[in-house]
Amino acid sequence: MMRSLWTAASGMTGQQFNIDTISNNLSNVNTTGFKKNRADFEDLLYQTSRVAGTPATELTTVPTGVQVGHGVKVAATQKMFTQGALQNTGNVTDLAIQGDGFFRVLLIDGSYGYSRDGSFKIDSNGQLVNSNGHRLIPEVVLPENFERDSLTISQDGRITVKVAGNDDPVQVGQLELYRFVNPAGLSAIGQNNFKVTNASGDAIPGRPGFDGMGQTVQRFLEMSNVSVVQEMVNMIVAQRAYELNSKAIQTSDTMLGIANSLKR
Amino acid sequence: MVRGIYTGASGMVDQMHRMDAISNNLANVDLVGYKRDQSVSKAFPQMLIRRMNDDGVYSFPFGSADTAPVVGMIGTGVEYNESFTVFSQGALKETGNDFDLALDGKGFFAVDTPRGERYTRNGTFVLTKEGILTTKEGEPVLGENGIIRIKKNNFVVDERGQVWQNGSYDGDPQRLVSKEENEWENLELVDTLKVVDFRRDRYLKKEGDSLYIAPEEAGASNQVALGSETKVVQGFLEGSNVNSVTEMVRMIEVNRAYEANQKAIQTHDALTGRLINDAIKV
C-alpha cells in the first residue's frame, strides 16, 4: 500500500498530541504556579531505496540517492519554567517565588513533591500545608494562640509571628527553596507537584534570595505562565497542520481508488 | 505487448513516490528545523523507432537513397530519481527559552552521537543534570573543543556562536545562579559552537530524529564563518521550510497526473481489447 497514507497518519497523530498539550495548557490557564508544556517533534526514520555513491556503470556512480521519510513523532514534552505573573491576594499564608526555585512538600507516600504553588494553609496542628494537606518541608509549626495577621514571611524566607500578650515578634521557622540543574527534566505528577527524575538531577537546597534562589513574596500568588494568545495561535497552526495531513490521506486514498479502477 | 501500458504504469509508480515525499513534508510541517524534500523524476532512456521490415533502401531509376526509415524517438516512461533536500531558510520564531538556538543562514550544529558525528538544524536543546548541553535524545552538542558544559541562567550565546559564561559561578555544578543576581562581571569564553557546512550538501542524508549524516561524497566539513554569513540566534527556533500552499498544489498535481496515467493505461487496454475482440472476427 502507499507509504504516504501512514506518513500522513503519523502527522495527524502528532498534531493530535500537540492539541492535547495545548488544551492542557489552556485548561490550566488559571492554575496557581502552573508551567506550560511544549510538544517537541522529531522526524521518523528514512528509507533509502537507492544509496548515493553506489556504482551505476563501470566508470560512474549514482550521484544522488533516493530517500523517503516516514513521518513525524513526538520527541518530548518540555516544561517551560518561565516566571508567571504575580497576583496580589492579601492572604498572609500565600507565597509566590519571584525567580527560580520550588517549595518542597511531603507527599503521602513519603517522597517529596516540588511545587511553585504557594497557596499554603494552616492546619489544626498549626503547620503550614498546601491545598491537599501536604506539609511544607522543612516544617513550619506556628505556636498556639498566635495572631494570624501578624504572620510575616520575609523575602529571605524567615517566618515570624506575634503571640497573644507579647509585643515582640518571634521567629518560628525558616523557609527553604530547592533548585535543579535541569528543571525541564522534572516530572509533573499532578496537583501542582513535580517529582525528581534522573534527568533533573537532585534537589539543591538554599535560602530564598541566595545562591540563585528566587525571593519569597508574601500575600502574592504566582499565576500560570500560559499565554492565551500564544496558545490560540499554536492551536490554529496545529489544526491547519492536522487538516493538511488529512488532505494527504485523502489524496492517497483517491490515488488508490484510481489504481483500483484500472481493472474494470 | 503494447509499450504504452508499461509507460503508463511507470508514471503511476513515480507519482506514488512523489506523493510519499509530499506526505512526509506535510507530516513535518511543524517540525523545528525540518528541510523539505523535493522529488526529482527522470525519463527512461529514449529510443529510436525504425519502421519494421524496412531496409531503408529506396531504389529509383537514378540510383538509391536512404529514405528516413526512422520514425522518431519514443520515451519509455519515467523513473523516480532522487529526493533532493532543499536547505532554504525557515522562519525564525521566538520562544524565550535560553536553550533554544536557531541558525540564520547556512550550516548545521554538530552533535556527538554513539554512531559518530551527526548534524542538525533543530536547536531545541536541553541540559542534563551533569550540565552538558544535549539534544532531546541526550546526545551532546559539540563546540569546537568538544562537549559544552554550562549552567542554567549562566550562559549567553552570541551571534558568532560563542558561548559566554560568568566565570564567578563556574565550577561547582550544585551552585546555581538566578538571572537577576547574575551581573556578568567576569565574562569567560566557554567554547564556540561547532557549526559546519559541506561543499556538496545535497549528499547529506537524513537519518531521522532531525539528524543528518554526512557521507563521503558530501566532502569534508568546514566551520562556517559565524556572525557574517550565518548567525546563531538564542531564544529562537527555526520553523520548517515546508510551504503548505505549494505542497497542496503539488499534491493536486500528483493526483491528476496519476489519474492521467491511469487513463493512458485504460486506453491502451481498451485498444488491445478492440484488437482482440473486434478487429479480427474469428
Side-chain angles (χ1 to χ4, degrees):
Chain A
M1 291 291 271
M2 290 181 77
R3 263 185 297 257
S4 51
L5 271 177
W6 308 107
T7 308
S10 84
M12 286 181 83
T13 318
Q15 292 308 330
Q16 220 167 339
F17 190 90
N18 202 358
I19 287 279
D20 290 347
T21 312
I22 294 167
S23 22
N24 187 46
N25 286 346
L26 282 175
S27 56
N28 283 298
V29 70
N30 267 333
T31 305
T32 311
F34 179 79
K35 298 294 170 196
K36 66 181 171 191
N37 271 309
R38 181 175 84 181
D40 286 334
F41 295 99
E42 296 280 18
D43 43 358
L44 274 173
L45 288 177
Y46 283 78
Q47 182 185 359
T48 309
S49 44
R50 195 167 73 181
V51 182
T54 48
T57 65
E58 220 171 292
L59 295 171
T60 57
T61 54
V62 175
T64 46
V66 174
Q67 271 201 308
V68 61
H70 283 78
V72 69
K73 70 167 185 231
V74 180
T77 52
Q78 204 175 334
K79 277 265 174 208
M80 312 290 278
F81 285 96
T82 53
Q83 177 77 41
L86 300 188
Q87 188 192 32
N88 189 348
T89 61
N91 185 0
V92 289
T93 55
D94 281 346
L95 278 176
I97 302 172
Q98 167 87 51
D100 291 327
F102 295 86
F103 298 112
R104 178 159 84 171
V105 293
L106 184 66
L107 301 177
I108 293 168
D109 63 358
S111 63
Y112 291 123
Y114 297 88
S115 174
R116 297 274 299 185
D117 174 8
S119 58
F120 293 111
K121 281 94 185 159
I122 300 165
D123 73 357
S124 54
N125 305 323
Q127 291 199 333
L128 277 185
V129 295
N130 72 5
S131 309
N132 289 306
H134 300 136
R135 263 175 297 153
L136 185 67
I137 305 291
E139 291 183 21
V140 177
V141 186
L142 301 168
E144 277 178 44
N145 60 43
F146 72 98
E147 289 170 13
R148 192 183 158 91
D149 284 342
S150 69
L151 177 74
T152 314
I153 300 167
S154 66
Q155 291 196 330
D156 58 353
R158 275 176 293 125
I159 303 166
T160 48
V161 290
K162 273 188 202 165
V163 183
N166 191 346
D167 270 352
D168 296 325
V170 282
Q171 183 173 341
V172 293
Q174 166 70 50
L175 278 178
E176 263 188 11
L177 295 181
Y178 298 84
R179 288 193 63 187
F180 300 89
V181 175
N182 173 28
L186 289 169
S187 121
I189 55 169
Q191 300 183 329
N192 288 351
N193 286 327
F194 295 96
K195 257 194 171 156
V196 174
T197 68
N198 230 344
S200 65
D202 293 330
I204 304 162
R207 260 178 83 187
F210 293 89
D211 295 326
M213 299 290 172
Q215 294 163 339
T216 46
V217 190
Q218 196 190 5
R219 293 169 200 263
F220 277 83
L221 283 178
E222 186 187 8
M223 299 284 91
S224 82
N225 66 349
V226 178
S227 149
V228 177
V229 177
Q230 245 174 36
E231 297 301 324
M232 278 303 191
V233 172
N234 287 344
M235 196 149 76
I236 292 170
V237 171
Q239 190 194 349
R240 288 303 178 193
Y242 192 77
E243 207 176 340
L244 274 175
N245 280 294
S246 85
K247 287 275 185 268
I249 291 184
Q250 274 179 14
T251 309
S252 307
D253 178 49
T254 316
M255 284 167 71
L256 280 178
I258 292 168
N260 268 332
S261 63
L262 256 181
K263 177 90 183 73
R264 286 170 295 186
Chain B
M1 277 295 283
V2 184
R3 251 189 306 258
I5 269 200
Y6 301 113
T7 309
S10 80
M12 286 178 80
V13 171
D14 174 60
Q15 295 302 334
M16 202 177 75
H17 280 299
R18 298 178 85 96
M19 186 63 208
D20 289 343
I22 293 171
S23 257
N24 193 47
N25 286 345
L26 286 178
N28 289 296
V29 68
D30 218 7
L31 172 63
V32 176
Y34 177 79
K35 298 293 168 202
R36 72 186 171 90
D37 283 329
Q38 166 95 52
S39 317
V40 180
S41 310
K42 79 170 181 200
F44 270 167
Q46 290 194 323
M47 53 188 195
L48 280 176
I49 307 281
R50 286 173 185 274
R51 270 208 308 271
M52 274 203 258
N53 307 323
D54 195 340
D55 59 3
V57 181
Y58 174 67
S59 300
F60 54 103
F62 309 105
S64 66
D66 190 354
T67 54
V70 174
V71 172
M73 303 285 279
I74 189 172
T76 49
V78 66
E79 182 188 18
Y80 190 68
N81 187 41
E82 183 189 355
S83 55
F84 173 79
T85 308
V86 181
F87 288 105
S88 64
Q89 177 73 35
L92 298 184
K93 58 180 178 191
E94 190 172 3
T95 64
N97 182 354
D98 287 342
F99 294 105
D100 288 340
L101 299 178
L103 286 178
D104 185 6
K106 290 187 77 173
F108 301 87
F109 295 113
V111 179
D112 185 26
T113 76
R115 312 173 295 284
E117 202 171 290
R118 296 289 185 268
Y119 308 92
T120 187
R121 298 273 301 187
N122 184 341
T124 51
F125 299 134
V126 290
L127 201 64
T128 65
K129 65 174 174 181
E130 292 85 18
I132 300 169
L133 189 68
T134 69
T135 66
K136 283 190 298 299
E137 306 289 324
E139 294 157 346
V141 179
L142 287 174
E144 282 176 348
N145 304 318
I147 60 173
I148 297 172
R149 281 176 191 279
I150 46 172
K151 216 177 256 188
K152 187 175 170 7
N153 293 342
N154 191 33
F155 77 104
V156 168
V157 185
D158 64 17
E159 59 180 38
R160 293 165 62 193
Q162 290 171 322
V163 185
W164 298 92
Q165 69 175 6
N166 182 349
S168 320
Y169 297 105
D170 192 20
D172 184 9
Q174 300 287 299
R175 192 176 159 223
L176 295 172
V177 60
S178 73
K179 262 188 178 159
E180 289 75 22
E181 74 183 28
N182 201 338
E183 281 165 356
W184 305 105
E185 68 269 1
N186 189 8
L187 272 187
E188 270 177 13
L189 181 65
V190 181
D191 204 346
T192 304
L193 284 170
K194 189 174 174 187
V195 176
V196 297
D197 196 13
F198 299 88
R199 204 141 66 91
R200 295 182 289 272
D201 58 9
R202 63 179 292 159
Y203 289 99
L204 288 177
K205 247 173 74 180
K206 287 184 178 176
E207 195 191 41
D209 296 343
S210 295
L211 297 178
Y212 293 89
I213 312 175
E216 231 173 75
E217 293 82 30
S221 63
N222 44 300
Q223 172 82 22
V224 172
L226 288 166
S228 53
E229 52 180 303
T230 301
K231 291 187 179 72
V232 180
V233 201
Q234 190 179 13
F236 280 78
L237 286 177
E238 184 190 0
S240 84
N241 68 349
V242 177
N243 181 339
S244 50
V245 177
T246 51
E247 296 299 325
M248 275 314 239
V249 172
R250 276 205 192 95
M251 200 151 75
I252 294 169
E253 192 183 71
V254 161
N255 197 11
R256 290 302 174 193
Y258 195 79
E259 209 174 342
N261 278 302
Q262 184 246 26
K263 288 276 181 263
I265 295 179
Q266 274 190 351
T267 310
H268 269 106
D269 183 41
L271 288 175
T272 319
R274 281 185 66 188
L275 176 73
I276 295 169
N277 297 316
D278 302 347
I280 311 149
K281 294 274 185 206
V282 186

